Amino acid sequence: KAGVTQTPRYLIKTRGQQVTLSCSPISGHRSVSWYQQTPGQGLQFLFEYFSETQRNKGNFPGRFSGRQFSNSRSEMNVSTLELGDSALYLCASSLIPGSSYEQYFGPGTRLTVT
Amino acid sequence: AQRVTQPEKLLSVFKGAPVELKCNYSYSGSPELFWYVQYSRQRLQLLLRHISRESIKGFTADLNKGETSFHLKKPFAQEEDSAMYYCALKDTDKLIFGTGTRLQVFP
């Protein structure tokens, strides 16, 4: 079974631009979560989607948004990029939401904002 | 507020020595805790969860509600245990991670 895939793997953008990151969950998994990983803040939860609905949202500004498609693939968008948005963005999928179901992480997208 | 604290950024031990990676949490309710591991150039992956009460790769972790701790232990460290370890707390289907502890096991 293929793992969680994320595209692109690396991205360089300039301040003020916007970016879209993509996550394809493991086949059959319907829940997708996004996390931001930085050296200073560690791993921080962004949002979670299940059945095309956002179920949970972390403490991030409205510039961060996401969506999920009917095939469970998810995208996250960051508008008006700031230098502080440079980070590794991880997505994780699970069968359905709930602690009984393990979250499987993708390799991440490394975003650099210059 | 829900929080996970890993007080050590780096823990260095020699092969064969005991290891204890500390994790403390703050949570109002019955916590569900996990340890995740990230080996060099690999994805973040689940190591163990407290509800399973299992031992994975020789590691165990016991939930101590009185001390609000979930320390990860291994009696004899191996070089292949060198990695980044994250303690995580499940809060309404989202994971709250600690800042991580890098474990270095020297030969």
Side-chain angles (χ1 to χ4, degrees):
Chain A
K1 190 186 275 192
V4 178
T5 57
Q6 292 186 245
T7 56
R9 294 292 312 278
Y10 302 91
L11 208 47
I12 300 175
K13 291 284 189 178
T14 56
R15 276 179 297 176
Q17 288 186 313
Q18 67 93 27
V19 67
T20 299
L21 312 181
S22 180
C23 171
S24 293
I26 291 171
S27 177
H29 284 194
R30 292 165 57 199
S31 173
V32 174
S33 299
W34 288 89
Y35 295 85
Q36 181 195 64
Q37 186 175 24
T38 58
Q41 300 294 319
L43 280 147
Q44 292 186 286
F45 173 78
L46 280 155
F47 25 65
E48 183 213 355
Y49 287 88
F50 174 66
S51 292
E52 303 176 65
T53 302
Q54 187 182 86
R55 296 183 73 248
N56 249 312
K57 189 177 193 306
N59 191 24
F60 278 82
R63 299 186 297 107
F64 291 81
S65 63
R67 58 178 175 168
Q68 187 180 35
F69 302 95
S70 59
N71 63 357
S72 295
R73 188 177 71 85
S74 178
E75 288 182 347
M76 67 162 280
N77 184 279
V78 188
S79 63
T80 321
L81 283 165
E82 299 177 0
L83 294 178
D85 297 334
S86 295
L88 181 67
Y89 290 88
L90 297 173
C91 87
S93 77
S94 65
L95 202 58
I96 60 175
S99 58
S100 303
Y101 299 94
E102 180 177 344
Q103 289 194 6
Y104 293 84
F105 283 82
T109 294
R110 172 79 57 190
L111 172 65
T112 302
V113 182
T114 61
Chain B
Q2 281 69 291
R3 186 184 300 126
V4 176
T5 303
Q6 293 180 253
E8 303 141 328
K9 284 192 173 181
L10 174 66
L11 184 64
S12 299
V13 300
F14 286 101
K15 177 182 170 182
V19 168
E20 183 178 56
L21 300 168
K22 291 184 168 40
C23 172
N24 289 91
Y25 66 90
S26 171
Y27 188 68
S28 54
S30 191
E32 296 188 61
L33 289 147
F34 306 81
W35 277 99
Y36 280 80
V37 61
Q38 191 167 29
Y39 300 102
S40 179
R41 302 177 192 276
Q42 292 189 29
R43 304 174 182 212
L44 192 64
Q45 57 186 286
L46 179 66
L47 181 62
L48 54 80
R49 66 188 85 186
H50 92 270
I51 57 172
S52 302
R53 299 187 65 80
E54 58 199 343
S55 173
I56 303 292
K57 299 184 180 182
F59 284 97
T60 59
D62 290 319
L63 177 61
N64 185 322
K65 290 187 179 180
E67 296 183 359
T68 59
S69 68
F70 187 56
H71 303 328
L72 183 68
K73 300 176 184 179
K74 185 169 183 177
F76 308 103
Q78 303 298 315
E79 289 178 69
E80 56 266 29
D81 296 328
S82 295
M84 196 74 185
Y85 291 81
Y86 293 94
C87 182
L89 170 70
K90 194 121 191 187
D91 176 35
T92 57
D93 294 328
K94 68 177 184 284
L95 288 170
I96 299 171
F97 285 90
T99 49
T101 298
R102 180 167 298 283
L103 175 63
Q104 288 183 330
V105 182
F106 295 108

